Amino acid sequence: MSSPSRPVTQLDKTAVVEALFAEWHTIGDLLAGLGESDWQAATSLPGWTVHDVTAHMVGTESMLAGMDMPQPDVDVSVFEHVRNDIGVLNERWVLELRTISGAELRDRFQAVTAERRAALTAMGDDEWNQVTATPAGPDSYGRFMRVRIFDCWMHEHDIRDALGRPASDPTGAPAMLALDEMAASMGFVVGKLGGAPDGSRVSIVLTGPLGRTINVAVEGRGKVVEDFGDAEPTATITLDALLFARLAGGRVALAEHADEIGFGGDGEVARRVVDHLNYVI
């Protein structure tokens, strides 16, 4: 693949794979002992149950392990909740695995993630840093694996929300790297989707155990920056980090949580950014 126009993301392999493995372990434990009614519980993702969310994760890791894509005899692109080509690929795996029991699906999850653990552990730095297609555009394979942490972490919480099982400790490396991945997209969200005008300095202040501040400067395009130097933000958005993640992933309705979000500075820009926070495909 040709090199991307933007700089390639270089990530420490050990830190990323250890966090990904930890997230898989957490999900495996979460799935253990679920009853069939649990597997069939509806999630916040339209059309998907806990079983379907798990099947999606199994399918993605199966694809990355080199397994053939299922070819169902149903045109999944016509499903109301399938909105793009990636959604078509996801739905093919979900449909393929929908007929097996929850216990069998967990076994499949454990088996394919074990295979992926071995492959990632054996991967050399050159391959880790090689530019490839990722859901975030052309970037390093390491960036793709950080996207995998984000995706799996989000789906862990999809399952928890469906079953009413909040995480006992929401912090940890998977959560921090998932938020790192989300933060990397905030330049696009603020500058492009939110339409913050040139010269804007937007601070997204995340609170709670995963608290951090994401600063975006708009200079022709939105760019995540460490700080604004001596300048103050022109707009500030304050909300809990987990709520930020659920809104960005389209998992919860903004109207139901509007009173949990604080705005400062240019309120019109801040509110427009929040209105367009759901960037996940």
Side-chain angles (χ1 to χ4, degrees):
M1 172 174 287
S2 60
S3 298
S5 57
R6 62 177 183 265
V8 175
T9 306
Q10 301 284 325
L11 296 170
D12 180 75
K13 181 194 168 193
T14 298
V16 172
V17 298
E18 286 183 354
L20 183 56
F21 299 168
E23 181 57 31
W24 287 340
H25 181 79
T26 296
I27 293 170
D29 284 350
L30 179 61
L31 299 175
L34 295 187
E36 202 53 40
S37 62
D38 296 324
W39 286 102
Q40 298 308 316
T43 71
S44 58
L45 297 173
W48 278 11
T49 63
V50 169
H51 190 286
D52 295 333
V53 167
T54 307
H56 157 60
M57 291 188 286
V58 169
T60 302
E61 298 308 329
S62 296
M63 177 194 69
L64 291 171
M67 299 179 194
D68 291 336
M69 174 67 63
Q71 300 295 330
D73 55 6
V74 176
D75 181 6
V76 298
S77 68
V78 303
F79 293 178
E80 185 176 354
H81 60 276
V82 176
R83 299 179 294 178
N84 49 49
D85 291 342
I86 292 179
V88 169
L89 301 181
N90 292 339
E91 201 67 26
R92 287 176 179 173
W93 283 106
V94 169
L95 201 61
E96 173 75 10
L97 297 171
R98 191 167 278 160
T99 57
I100 68 175
S101 71
E104 290 175 291
L105 186 60
R106 181 179 182 271
D107 288 346
R108 287 281 292 267
F109 177 84
Q110 298 291 69
V112 73
T113 53
E115 182 175 350
R116 291 287 294 142
R117 280 188 186 93
L120 287 167
T121 299
M123 182 176 288
D125 289 341
D126 287 346
E127 188 176 359
W128 179 257
N129 292 316
Q130 180 67 41
V131 175
T132 187
T134 85
D139 209 329
S140 65
Y141 194 86
R143 170 80 185 277
F144 195 174
M145 294 305 99
R146 191 176 72 179
V147 174
R148 293 302 310 131
I149 295 171
F150 159 72
D151 189 60
C152 291
W153 181 76
M154 288 291 284
H155 289 314
E156 175 202 337
H157 287 280
D158 292 333
I159 294 169
R160 290 189 182 282
D161 287 353
L163 301 178
R165 300 186 183 185
S168 58
D169 179 8
T171 62
M176 297 303 291
L177 283 168
L179 284 174
D180 285 350
E181 180 55 41
M182 299 180 75
S185 295
M186 287 303 107
F188 169 73
V189 170
V190 170
K192 182 70 172 180
L193 300 183
D198 206 41
S200 295
R201 298 180 299 276
V202 179
S203 284
I204 304 173
V205 181
L206 304 183
T207 62
L210 295 172
R212 65 170 69 187
T213 298
I214 304 168
N215 294 312
V216 178
V218 182
E219 299 170 354
R221 59 189 293 269
K223 181 180 180 181
V224 177
V225 296
E226 188 69 26
D227 56 49
F228 301 126
D230 294 331
E232 293 295 320
T234 58
T236 303
I237 302 160
T238 304
L239 73 167
D240 178 78
L242 187 55
L243 175 59
F244 165 78
R246 304 307 280 167
L247 287 169
R251 269 50 174 199
V252 297
L254 175 58
E256 297 175 2
H257 297 273
D259 61 351
E260 300 171 44
I261 304 172
F263 300 97
D266 190 333
E268 181 180 350
V269 168
R271 285 177 170 81
R272 193 163 63 239
V273 169
V274 171
D275 286 343
H276 293 85
L277 195 56
N278 177 13
Y279 75 95
V280 178
I281 56 175

